[in-house]
């Protein structure tokens, strides 16, 4: 099968190529998915898990990409809950070969059934941003109806989903980002938008939950905006500065089949729209990873046709 691989941590992107790989092996409770569409995170070549297995051992050449949609073609020993021929979408394990490949082995519990009327490319854009936004707002941030949430990067992948989920939950939403994201954030439903380049973050006022996707100085300054009893949630780095009277949390998104199914339902109902950007073939995945000007929205790799 064909896959995008990375071979050498020092070479990074320069070591990324379209390669012939052996068909993956389905271990216990795995499924093999024929990947139709895949998502990747631009920074993943910096993640230790891209290069090593759970034991910290070198696992190169490795296949990047951790979001996928496709169809189950094989079940591992003892796998239940999914069947051959079923459309699925979800997260590929961080420390195993990922979704930029014609076939990939994934633990079945990381995937959810994909309804027939949801497009593969849209489904591949949802798993990381959808689960991260949900877990950050509600599991870790404990956001409830009537509260205020400040969402950094409100026009980005995670932020745009967080805005939509928070609005639907009845929260007041303050969004931040660059000037280029203002119109998108307002269209998604933020009540107020702060352009971090020209306006003062501190003018946003206090929030019960601050959801950070930027890190650094913005994260440090966000602690002071958390209302007493509130939560600062970051998905980028552990907060160094904590709220005076509140919690500070950094987390890595976890797979969750039931939540994926709920997100798929919201997609079908038109209550949730992931921002899909460019759709490119597998052969162009390395170019899509390269830093530089990206089309707004999440870049999706069309891996195989049905
Ligand atoms: N812990 C986890 O489980 C987890 C899960 C998902 C993502 N992440 C991480 O979270 C981060 C965000 O992911 P994403 O997919 O949402 O990225 P994204 O689509 O690039 O969104 C980030 C948004 O923030 C804006 N932004 C970034 N830096 C800014 C700054 N200094 N001032 C104003 N606006 C700024 C970006 O604007 P521009 O596009 O104009 O730069 C963009 O709108 C990444 O670092 C990713 O690796 C972590």
């Amino acid at each position: 099968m064909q896959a995008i691989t990375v071979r050498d941590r020092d070479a990074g992107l320069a070591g990324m190529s379209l390669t012939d790989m052996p068909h993956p092996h389905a271990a216990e409770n795995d499924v093999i998915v024929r990947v139709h569409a895949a998502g990747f995170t631009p920074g993943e070549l910096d993640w230790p898990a891209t290069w090593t297995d759970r034991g910290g051992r070198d696992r190169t050449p490795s296949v990047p990409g951790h979001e996928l949609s496709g169809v189950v073609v094989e079940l591992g020993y003892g796998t239940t809950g999914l069947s051959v021929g079923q459309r699925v979408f979800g997260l590929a394990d961080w420390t195993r070969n990922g979704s930029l490949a014609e076939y990939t082995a994934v633990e079945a519990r990381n995937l959810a059934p994909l309804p027939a009327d949801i497009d593969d490319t849209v489904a591949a854009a949802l798993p990381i941003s959808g689960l991260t936004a949900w877990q950050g707002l509600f599991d870790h941030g404990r956001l409830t109806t009537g509260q205020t949430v400040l969402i950094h990067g409100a026009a980005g992948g995670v932020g745009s989903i967080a805005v939509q989920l928070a609005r639907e939950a009845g929260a007041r939403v303050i969004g931040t980002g660059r000037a280029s994201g203002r119109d998108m954030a307002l269209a998604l439903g933020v009540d107020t938008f702060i352009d971090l380049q020209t306006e003062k973050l501190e003018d946003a006022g206090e929030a019960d939950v601050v959801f950070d996707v930027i890190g650094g100085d913005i994260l440090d300054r966000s602690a002071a905006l958390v209302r007493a009893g509130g939560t600062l949630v970051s998905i980028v780095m552990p907060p160094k500065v904590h709220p005076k009277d509140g919690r500070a949390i950094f987390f890595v998104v976890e797979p969750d089949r039931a939540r994926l199914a709920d997100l798929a339902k919201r997609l079908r109902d038109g209550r949730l729209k992931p921002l899909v950007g460019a759709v490119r073939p597998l052969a162009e995945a390395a170019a899509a990873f390269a830093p530089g000007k990206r089309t707004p929205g999440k870049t999706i790799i069309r891996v195989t046709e049905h």
Side-chain angles (χ1 to χ4, degrees), residues 85-174:
Q86 191 164 20
R87 291 184 85 215
V88 290
F89 78 120
L91 287 177
D93 299 332
W94 310 119
T95 51
R96 297 173 76 187
N97 281 341
S99 57
L100 293 176
E102 290 177 309
Y103 295 91
T104 190
V106 186
E107 287 190 73
R109 63 182 174 178
N110 293 4
L111 303 173
L114 179 61
D117 53 356
I118 298 180
D119 186 77
D120 286 315
T121 51
V122 175
L126 190 62
I128 290 184
S129 54
L131 291 175
T132 306
W134 184 279
Q135 291 167 14
L137 289 174
F138 304 115
D139 296 342
H140 302 294
R142 302 177 189 167
L143 183 70
T144 57
T145 309
Q147 289 190 326
T148 298
V149 57
L150 189 155
I151 298 171
H152 288 307
V158 177
S160 63
I161 299 287
V163 169
Q164 295 173 70
L165 293 173
R167 284 287 304 174
E168 203 188 351
R172 178 175 163 261
V173 183
I174 303 164

Side-chain angles (χ1 to χ4, degrees), residues 141-299:
R142 302 177 189 167
L143 183 70
T144 57
T145 309
Q147 289 190 326
T148 298
V149 57
L150 189 155
I151 298 171
H152 288 307
V158 177
S160 63
I161 299 287
V163 169
Q164 295 173 70
L165 293 173
R167 284 287 304 174
E168 203 188 351
R172 178 175 163 261
V173 183
I174 303 164
T176 81
R178 296 184 213 279
S180 54
R182 179 187 294 273
D183 289 348
M184 171 60 70
L186 289 170
L188 291 172
V190 301
D191 297 280
T192 314
F193 183 84
I194 305 265
D195 170 358
L196 292 173
Q197 259 66 53
T198 60
E199 294 170 83
K200 251 184 98 192
L201 170 60
E202 287 68 19
D203 290 343
E206 288 192 328
D208 300 283
V209 179
V210 178
F211 193 143
D212 169 59
V213 307
I214 298 176
D217 173 59
I218 298 294
L219 173 58
D220 291 348
R221 287 161 58 199
S222 294
L225 302 178
V226 175
R227 194 168 277 160
T231 310
L232 174 61
V233 178
S234 177
I235 59 168
V236 181
M237 56 181 68
K240 285 193 304 235
V241 184
H242 287 215
K244 223 187 253 160
D245 178 13
R247 301 177 306 133
I249 286 167
F250 164 73
F251 77 100
V252 174
V253 60
E254 289 185 52
D256 182 338
R257 177 185 287 171
R259 184 58 55 202
L260 279 176
D262 170 71
L263 292 167
K265 189 166 182 314
R266 287 162 195 264
L267 269 182
R268 292 179 80 189
D269 297 348
R271 290 183 283 153
L272 195 60
K273 283 192 177 55
L275 304 178
V276 178
V279 180
R280 303 177 70 168
L282 189 61
E284 291 177 18
F289 253 92
K293 202 152 173 51
R294 288 201 167 86
T295 328
K298 189 164 176 84
T299 300

